[in-house]
Short mmCIF file of all heavy atoms in Angstrom, two decimals:
data_model
loop_
_atom_site.label_atom_id
_atom_site.label_comp_id
_atom_site.label_asym_id
_atom_site.label_seq_id
_atom_site.Cartn_x
_atom_site.Cartn_y
_atom_site.Cartn_z
N SER T 196 205.88 120.35 135.42
CA SER T 196 204.54 119.74 135.39
C SER T 196 203.48 120.78 135.82
O SER T 196 203.80 121.81 136.44
CB SER T 196 204.46 118.54 136.37
OG SER T 196 204.56 119.01 137.70
N GLY T 197 202.27 120.48 135.42
CA GLY T 197 201.13 121.29 135.81
C GLY T 197 200.05 120.37 136.34
O GLY T 197 199.85 119.29 135.84
N VAL T 198 199.38 120.79 137.43
CA VAL T 198 198.34 119.95 138.05
C VAL T 198 197.09 120.80 138.31
O VAL T 198 197.19 121.91 138.83
CB VAL T 198 198.85 119.40 139.42
CG1 VAL T 198 197.81 118.48 140.03
CG2 VAL T 198 200.18 118.67 139.28
N TYR T 199 195.97 120.19 137.91
CA TYR T 199 194.66 120.84 138.18
C TYR T 199 193.94 119.92 139.19
O TYR T 199 193.80 118.72 138.95
CB TYR T 199 193.83 120.99 136.91
CG TYR T 199 192.41 121.33 137.21
CD1 TYR T 199 192.05 122.63 137.62
CD2 TYR T 199 191.38 120.36 137.02
CE1 TYR T 199 190.72 122.94 137.93
CE2 TYR T 199 190.09 120.72 137.31
CZ TYR T 199 189.74 121.97 137.74
OH TYR T 199 188.44 122.32 138.03
N ASP T 200 193.43 120.48 140.29
CA ASP T 200 192.69 119.78 141.31
C ASP T 200 191.26 120.31 141.34
O ASP T 200 191.05 121.50 141.65
CB ASP T 200 193.33 119.92 142.68
CG ASP T 200 194.51 119.01 142.90
OD1 ASP T 200 194.28 117.80 142.99
OD2 ASP T 200 195.65 119.54 142.95
N TYR T 201 190.30 119.40 141.08
CA TYR T 201 188.90 119.75 141.26
C TYR T 201 188.45 119.28 142.63
O TYR T 201 188.66 118.08 142.99
CB TYR T 201 188.03 119.07 140.18
CG TYR T 201 186.56 119.11 140.46
CD1 TYR T 201 185.83 120.30 140.24
CD2 TYR T 201 185.91 118.05 141.05
CE1 TYR T 201 184.47 120.36 140.54
CE2 TYR T 201 184.56 118.11 141.37
CZ TYR T 201 183.87 119.25 141.09
OH TYR T 201 182.53 119.33 141.39
N CYS T 202 187.80 120.15 143.41
CA CYS T 202 187.38 119.83 144.76
C CYS T 202 185.87 119.99 144.82
O CYS T 202 185.35 121.09 144.68
CB CYS T 202 188.04 120.76 145.78
SG CYS T 202 189.85 120.73 145.75
N GLY T 203 185.15 118.88 145.01
CA GLY T 203 183.69 118.89 145.06
C GLY T 203 183.19 119.38 146.36
O GLY T 203 183.89 119.47 147.39
N SER T 204 181.89 119.73 146.40
CA SER T 204 181.24 120.23 147.61
C SER T 204 180.89 119.09 148.55
O SER T 204 180.70 117.95 148.15
CB SER T 204 179.99 121.03 147.19
OG SER T 204 179.04 120.21 146.58
N TYR T 205 180.76 119.42 149.80
CA TYR T 205 180.34 118.48 150.83
C TYR T 205 179.83 119.26 152.02
O TYR T 205 179.93 120.50 152.10
CB TYR T 205 181.50 117.56 151.25
CG TYR T 205 182.65 118.23 151.91
CD1 TYR T 205 182.85 118.11 153.29
CD2 TYR T 205 183.58 118.99 151.20
CE1 TYR T 205 183.95 118.72 153.92
CE2 TYR T 205 184.66 119.61 151.82
CZ TYR T 205 184.81 119.49 153.18
OH TYR T 205 185.86 120.09 153.81
N LYS T 206 179.31 118.54 153.04
CA LYS T 206 178.83 119.15 154.25
C LYS T 206 179.75 118.85 155.38
O LYS T 206 179.74 117.75 155.94
CB LYS T 206 177.39 118.66 154.54
CG LYS T 206 176.66 119.42 155.62
CD LYS T 206 175.21 118.96 155.77
CE LYS T 206 174.46 119.76 156.80
NZ LYS T 206 173.06 119.30 156.95
N PRO T 207 180.60 119.80 155.79
CA PRO T 207 181.63 119.52 156.81
C PRO T 207 181.04 119.32 158.20
O PRO T 207 181.56 118.53 158.98
CB PRO T 207 182.56 120.69 156.71
CG PRO T 207 181.74 121.78 156.16
CD PRO T 207 180.74 121.14 155.25
N TYR T 208 179.99 120.07 158.53
CA TYR T 208 179.42 120.03 159.88
C TYR T 208 177.93 119.80 159.83
O TYR T 208 177.27 120.15 158.83
CB TYR T 208 179.77 121.30 160.67
CG TYR T 208 181.23 121.60 160.76
CD1 TYR T 208 181.85 122.57 159.99
CD2 TYR T 208 182.05 120.84 161.58
CE1 TYR T 208 183.19 122.82 160.07
CE2 TYR T 208 183.42 121.05 161.67
CZ TYR T 208 184.00 122.05 160.92
OH TYR T 208 185.34 122.28 160.96
N GLU T 209 177.38 119.28 160.88
CA GLU T 209 175.95 118.91 160.88
C GLU T 209 175.05 120.11 160.57
O GLU T 209 174.08 119.98 159.84
CB GLU T 209 175.61 118.30 162.23
CG GLU T 209 176.21 116.96 162.52
CD GLU T 209 175.86 116.41 163.90
OE1 GLU T 209 175.52 117.26 164.77
OE2 GLU T 209 175.99 115.21 164.12
N GLU T 210 175.36 121.25 161.18
CA GLU T 210 174.45 122.36 161.08
C GLU T 210 174.87 123.39 160.02
O GLU T 210 174.35 124.48 159.92
CB GLU T 210 174.33 123.07 162.41
CG GLU T 210 173.79 122.16 163.50
CD GLU T 210 173.76 122.81 164.88
OE1 GLU T 210 174.20 123.98 164.96
OE2 GLU T 210 173.33 122.20 165.84
N SER T 211 175.90 122.99 159.19
CA SER T 211 176.38 123.93 158.15
C SER T 211 175.70 123.63 156.82
O SER T 211 175.08 122.59 156.64
CB SER T 211 177.90 123.78 158.01
OG SER T 211 178.23 122.55 157.36
N GLY T 212 175.90 124.56 155.89
CA GLY T 212 175.43 124.32 154.52
C GLY T 212 176.42 123.53 153.72
O GLY T 212 177.36 122.95 154.27
N ASP T 213 176.20 123.54 152.41
CA ASP T 213 177.12 122.84 151.53
C ASP T 213 178.33 123.72 151.24
O ASP T 213 178.23 124.83 150.74
CB ASP T 213 176.40 122.54 150.19
CG ASP T 213 175.37 121.41 150.35
OD1 ASP T 213 175.58 120.57 151.20
OD2 ASP T 213 174.36 121.45 149.64
N TYR T 214 179.50 123.20 151.60
CA TYR T 214 180.76 123.90 151.42
C TYR T 214 181.46 123.39 150.17
O TYR T 214 181.62 122.22 149.95
CB TYR T 214 181.66 123.64 152.65
CG TYR T 214 183.04 124.18 152.53
CD1 TYR T 214 183.27 125.54 152.38
CD2 TYR T 214 184.14 123.32 152.56
CE1 TYR T 214 184.56 126.04 152.28
CE2 TYR T 214 185.45 123.82 152.46
CZ TYR T 214 185.67 125.17 152.32
OH TYR T 214 186.91 125.65 152.20
N ASP T 215 181.82 124.35 149.30
CA ASP T 215 182.49 124.02 148.06
C ASP T 215 183.87 124.64 147.99
O ASP T 215 183.99 125.86 147.76
CB ASP T 215 181.66 124.56 146.88
CG ASP T 215 182.22 124.11 145.48
OD1 ASP T 215 183.20 123.39 145.51
OD2 ASP T 215 181.67 124.55 144.46
N PRO T 216 184.93 123.86 148.29
CA PRO T 216 186.28 124.44 148.24
C PRO T 216 186.65 124.86 146.87
O PRO T 216 186.24 124.28 145.88
CB PRO T 216 187.17 123.26 148.73
CG PRO T 216 186.24 122.24 149.28
CD PRO T 216 184.94 122.45 148.59
N GLY T 217 187.44 125.92 146.76
CA GLY T 217 187.89 126.34 145.46
C GLY T 217 188.83 125.36 144.81
O GLY T 217 189.59 124.68 145.50
N ASP T 218 188.76 125.23 143.54
CA ASP T 218 189.69 124.35 142.81
C ASP T 218 191.11 124.95 142.90
O ASP T 218 191.30 126.11 143.26
CB ASP T 218 189.28 124.20 141.37
CG ASP T 218 187.90 123.54 141.22
OD1 ASP T 218 187.46 122.93 142.21
OD2 ASP T 218 187.26 123.72 140.17
N ALA T 219 192.10 124.12 142.57
CA ALA T 219 193.49 124.57 142.71
C ALA T 219 194.28 124.22 141.44
O ALA T 219 193.98 123.22 140.76
CB ALA T 219 194.17 123.94 143.93
N PHE T 220 195.26 125.00 141.14
CA PHE T 220 196.15 124.74 139.99
C PHE T 220 197.58 125.08 140.42
O PHE T 220 197.81 126.05 141.10
CB PHE T 220 195.77 125.65 138.80
CG PHE T 220 196.65 125.48 137.59
CD1 PHE T 220 196.61 124.34 136.84
CD2 PHE T 220 197.62 126.45 137.29
CE1 PHE T 220 197.44 124.16 135.73
CE2 PHE T 220 198.48 126.27 136.21
CZ PHE T 220 198.38 125.15 135.44
N SER T 221 198.49 124.20 140.04
CA SER T 221 199.89 124.43 140.45
C SER T 221 200.83 124.18 139.24
O SER T 221 200.55 123.30 138.39
CB SER T 221 200.28 123.52 141.60
OG SER T 221 200.19 122.15 141.26
N LEU T 222 201.92 124.91 139.24
CA LEU T 222 203.00 124.77 138.25
C LEU T 222 204.29 124.40 139.05
O LEU T 222 204.56 125.09 140.02
CB LEU T 222 203.23 126.03 137.46
CG LEU T 222 202.11 126.40 136.46
CD1 LEU T 222 202.39 127.80 135.94
CD2 LEU T 222 201.98 125.43 135.34
N ASN T 223 204.94 123.33 138.60
CA ASN T 223 206.09 122.86 139.37
C ASN T 223 207.27 122.58 138.44
O ASN T 223 207.10 122.20 137.29
CB ASN T 223 205.72 121.54 140.07
CG ASN T 223 204.45 121.67 140.90
OD1 ASN T 223 204.45 122.24 141.94
ND2 ASN T 223 203.35 121.13 140.37
N ALA T 224 208.46 122.80 138.97
CA ALA T 224 209.67 122.60 138.23
C ALA T 224 210.71 121.96 139.14
O ALA T 224 210.74 122.23 140.36
CB ALA T 224 210.22 123.87 137.63
N THR T 225 211.53 121.07 138.59
CA THR T 225 212.58 120.43 139.38
C THR T 225 213.83 120.29 138.53
O THR T 225 213.75 120.17 137.31
CB THR T 225 212.12 119.07 139.94
OG1 THR T 225 213.13 118.51 140.75
CG2 THR T 225 211.82 118.09 138.81
N THR T 226 214.94 120.31 139.17
CA THR T 226 216.23 120.09 138.48
C THR T 226 217.21 119.35 139.36
O THR T 226 217.12 119.45 140.62
CB THR T 226 216.82 121.47 138.02
OG1 THR T 226 218.00 121.21 137.24
CG2 THR T 226 217.20 122.31 139.19
N ALA T 227 218.08 118.56 138.75
CA ALA T 227 219.04 117.79 139.53
C ALA T 227 220.39 117.79 138.75
O ALA T 227 220.42 117.72 137.51
CB ALA T 227 218.59 116.37 139.72
N VAL T 228 221.50 117.87 139.49
CA VAL T 228 222.81 117.84 138.92
C VAL T 228 223.78 117.24 139.91
O VAL T 228 223.62 117.38 141.11
CB VAL T 228 223.24 119.28 138.50
CG1 VAL T 228 223.43 120.18 139.73
CG2 VAL T 228 224.55 119.21 137.65
N THR T 229 224.80 116.56 139.43
CA THR T 229 225.81 115.94 140.29
C THR T 229 227.16 116.66 139.99
O THR T 229 227.57 116.82 138.85
CB THR T 229 225.96 114.47 139.97
OG1 THR T 229 224.71 113.83 140.26
CG2 THR T 229 227.01 113.86 140.86
N SER T 230 227.80 117.05 141.06
CA SER T 230 229.11 117.70 140.99
C SER T 230 230.06 116.96 141.93
O SER T 230 229.87 117.06 143.16
CB SER T 230 229.00 119.19 141.32
OG SER T 230 230.26 119.82 141.31
N GLY T 231 231.01 116.29 141.37
CA GLY T 231 231.87 115.46 142.24
C GLY T 231 231.08 114.34 142.86
O GLY T 231 230.35 113.61 142.16
N ARG T 232 231.10 114.24 144.18
CA ARG T 232 230.33 113.21 144.87
C ARG T 232 228.99 113.78 145.39
O ARG T 232 228.18 113.01 145.94
CB ARG T 232 231.12 112.69 146.08
CG ARG T 232 232.37 111.92 145.70
CD ARG T 232 233.06 111.44 146.94
NE ARG T 232 232.10 110.66 147.79
CZ ARG T 232 232.29 110.45 149.09
NH1 ARG T 232 233.31 111.02 149.73
NH2 ARG T 232 231.44 109.72 149.80
N ILE T 233 228.73 115.07 145.26
CA ILE T 233 227.53 115.69 145.80
C ILE T 233 226.41 115.77 144.74
O ILE T 233 226.66 116.19 143.61
CB ILE T 233 227.85 117.07 146.37
CG1 ILE T 233 228.96 116.96 147.43
CG2 ILE T 233 226.60 117.68 146.97
CD1 ILE T 233 229.35 118.31 147.98
N GLU T 234 225.20 115.36 145.14
CA GLU T 234 224.06 115.42 144.28
C GLU T 234 223.18 116.62 144.71
O GLU T 234 222.70 116.64 145.89
CB GLU T 234 223.27 114.12 144.34
CG GLU T 234 224.08 112.91 143.92
CD GLU T 234 223.35 111.59 144.14
OE1 GLU T 234 222.26 111.65 144.77
OE2 GLU T 234 223.86 110.55 143.69
N TYR T 235 222.94 117.52 143.83
CA TYR T 235 222.14 118.71 144.13
C TYR T 235 220.76 118.61 143.49
O TYR T 235 220.65 118.17 142.29
CB TYR T 235 222.81 119.98 143.66
CG TYR T 235 224.15 120.26 144.26
CD1 TYR T 235 225.34 119.84 143.63
CD2 TYR T 235 224.27 120.97 145.48
CE1 TYR T 235 226.56 120.14 144.21
CE2 TYR T 235 225.51 121.21 146.05
CZ TYR T 235 226.67 120.78 145.40
OH TYR T 235 227.88 121.04 145.96
N THR T 236 219.71 118.96 144.18
CA THR T 236 218.37 119.01 143.60
C THR T 236 217.69 120.30 144.02
O THR T 236 217.91 120.84 145.12
CB THR T 236 217.51 117.82 144.05
OG1 THR T 236 217.39 117.82 145.49
CG2 THR T 236 218.12 116.52 143.58
N GLY T 237 216.79 120.78 143.15
CA GLY T 237 216.01 121.96 143.45
C GLY T 237 214.56 121.79 142.97
O GLY T 237 214.38 121.30 141.84
N ASP T 238 213.62 122.10 143.81
CA ASP T 238 212.18 122.01 143.45
C ASP T 238 211.55 123.41 143.64
O ASP T 238 211.80 124.06 144.65
CB ASP T 238 211.47 121.00 144.35
CG ASP T 238 212.09 119.62 144.27
OD1 ASP T 238 212.58 119.27 143.17
OD2 ASP T 238 212.06 118.89 145.28
N PHE T 239 210.69 123.76 142.70
CA PHE T 239 210.08 125.09 142.80
C PHE T 239 208.60 124.94 142.34
O PHE T 239 208.33 124.14 141.43
CB PHE T 239 210.75 126.06 141.86
CG PHE T 239 212.26 126.12 142.04
CD1 PHE T 239 213.10 125.32 141.33
CD2 PHE T 239 212.82 126.96 143.02
CE1 PHE T 239 214.46 125.32 141.51
CE2 PHE T 239 214.18 126.95 143.24
CZ PHE T 239 215.01 126.16 142.45
N GLY T 240 207.69 125.62 143.05
CA GLY T 240 206.26 125.50 142.70
C GLY T 240 205.47 126.74 142.97
O GLY T 240 205.73 127.46 143.96
N PHE T 241 204.52 127.02 142.07
CA PHE T 241 203.56 128.05 142.28
C PHE T 241 202.16 127.40 142.41
O PHE T 241 201.83 126.57 141.58
CB PHE T 241 203.51 129.05 141.12
CG PHE T 241 204.70 129.96 141.02
CD1 PHE T 241 205.78 129.55 140.24
CD2 PHE T 241 204.76 131.17 141.65
CE1 PHE T 241 206.90 130.35 140.10
CE2 PHE T 241 205.85 131.95 141.58
CZ PHE T 241 206.97 131.57 140.79
N SER T 242 201.37 127.81 143.39
CA SER T 242 200.02 127.29 143.56
C SER T 242 199.03 128.44 143.58
O SER T 242 199.27 129.46 144.23
CB SER T 242 199.94 126.48 144.86
OG SER T 242 200.78 125.35 144.82
#
Side-chain angles (χ1 to χ4, degrees):
S196 69
V198 184
Y199 168 73
D200 279 291
Y201 167 80
C202 304
S204 62
Y205 66 104
K206 193 173 181 179
Y208 303 106
E209 290 177 341
E210 300 176 359
S211 71
D213 289 328
Y214 172 63
D215 186 3
D218 299 340
F220 178 74
S221 63
L222 293 172
N223 309 285
T225 183
T226 185
V228 64
T229 300
S230 177
R232 294 180 55 201
I233 303 178
E234 300 173 353
Y235 298 94
T236 58
D238 303 327
F239 310 91
F241 290 93
S242 297

